[in-house]
Amino acid sequence: MGAVVGTLTMQTKQRRPSTDKADDDLEMTMVCHRPEGLDQLEAQTNFNKRELQVLYRGFKNECPSGVVNEDTFKQIYSQFFPHGDASTYAHYLFNAFDTGSTGSIKFEDFVTALSILLRGSITEKLQWTFNLYDINRDGYINKEEMTDIVRAIYDMMGKYTYPVLKTDAPKQHVDAFFQKMDKNRDGVVTLDEFIFSCQEDENIMRSLQLFENVI
């Protein structure tokens, strides 16, 4: 989760927010997709207007059209992992942001997900992460899905991070995941099992709190 939040927030601090609401509303009319108003987004997320202004300018700076397709998303995300191949993980991450399966991410999609990852409750953060791992969106995480996710993470981090990585390392991680999470040993992990197991793990709980004050 740290990789998700850290890379998605680094670009939002580039410019200082305007305090003039009229300026912000004017800027929002000058892109191909006009996002919802600040008042509505403030009500729907855990960000205040000033924070939304910072996020919007960072988003518009990277995506002047107001929407991000998957290829652009991969290009942006890969910049943070120059020694690895982030394309597969970015594909899964893009799908998690694109909750409507529209093939693009709007500012509302971006800020809603970021609100959960940065300011959401423990349960909300874990639900979002579960949905990321549940690739086929059937409500369960199976071993094939988890293997795909783990391999994508290893590819993304690259050889410099794992210089002595063994070929069976992803399988070992997946086996450990299911040993911990699959409480009833039925071969899949449900949302309830995932949340319960994560809440038992102090390291996971600490990682969920790392980025709460990043913006």
Side-chain angles (χ1 to χ4, degrees):
M1 181 172 290
V4 174
V5 179
T7 56
L8 290 173
T9 55
M10 288 176 68
Q11 301 262 347
T12 66
K13 298 184 178 182
Q14 302 300 317
R15 297 171 63 182
R16 296 179 63 84
S18 167
T19 57
D20 190 332
K21 182 178 183 299
D23 287 346
D24 291 300
D25 289 342
L26 177 62
E27 281 196 45
M28 287 187 174
T29 66
M30 298 176 67
V31 293
C32 296
H33 169 76
R34 179 177 180 176
E36 298 169 4
L38 287 177
D39 290 335
Q40 187 171 350
L41 287 174
E42 184 179 27
Q44 294 173 345
T45 68
N46 297 310
F47 297 124
N48 60 39
K49 288 181 183 178
R50 191 175 185 85
E51 291 167 332
L52 287 168
Q53 290 165 356
V54 175
L55 290 167
Y56 178 69
R57 283 186 168 80
F59 185 89
K60 190 167 75 78
N61 184 57
E62 292 293 336
C63 315
S65 68
V67 294
V68 186
N69 62 30
E70 184 170 340
D71 288 341
T72 301
F73 185 85
K74 287 180 178 179
Q75 291 171 10
I76 296 172
Y77 199 74
S78 66
Q79 296 173 17
F80 299 98
F81 300 95
H83 299 302
D85 179 2
S87 59
T88 302
Y89 188 79
H91 167 72
Y92 297 138
L93 192 58
F94 179 88
N95 288 340
F97 274 79
D98 180 21
T99 55
S101 300
T102 64
S104 63
I105 299 173
K106 302 185 298 293
F107 178 67
E108 296 94 317
D109 301 323
F110 170 77
V111 79
T112 298
L114 206 60
S115 173
I116 293 172
L117 292 170
L118 297 180
R119 305 281 174 80
S121 66
I122 294 297
T123 299
E124 288 173 333
K125 292 176 181 179
L126 292 175
Q127 286 176 331
W128 195 94
T129 306
F130 180 89
N131 291 335
L132 170 65
Y133 295 164
D134 178 18
I135 296 173
N136 65 7
R137 299 185 180 181
D138 66 350
Y140 303 94
I141 301 173
N142 59 43
K143 284 195 173 183
E144 182 179 353
E145 289 173 320
M146 201 62 219
T147 300
D148 290 343
I149 290 288
V150 170
R151 289 189 185 280
I153 292 173
Y154 276 84
D155 289 343
M156 176 176 67
M157 301 310 293
K159 62 182 180 180
Y160 293 101
T161 303
Y162 300 98
V164 292
L165 182 63
K166 298 180 180 179
T167 56
D168 62 346
K171 181 180 184 302
Q172 292 176 359
H173 275 81
V174 171
D175 289 344
F177 175 90
F178 273 81
Q179 180 67 30
K180 183 182 185 65
M181 301 277 181
D182 184 12
K183 299 298 185 182
N184 63 359
R185 301 293 183 258
D186 64 350
V188 295
V189 174
T190 65
L191 175 61
D192 288 341
E193 287 176 322
F194 182 78
I195 292 176
F196 180 80
S197 299
C198 288
Q199 288 177 333
E200 286 187 320
D201 192 308
E202 293 183 2
N203 291 327
I204 293 176
M205 288 298 97
R206 280 196 296 269
S207 72
L208 292 176
Q209 299 171 358
L210 287 178
F211 296 94
E212 287 183 352
N213 299 309
V214 74
I215 295 180

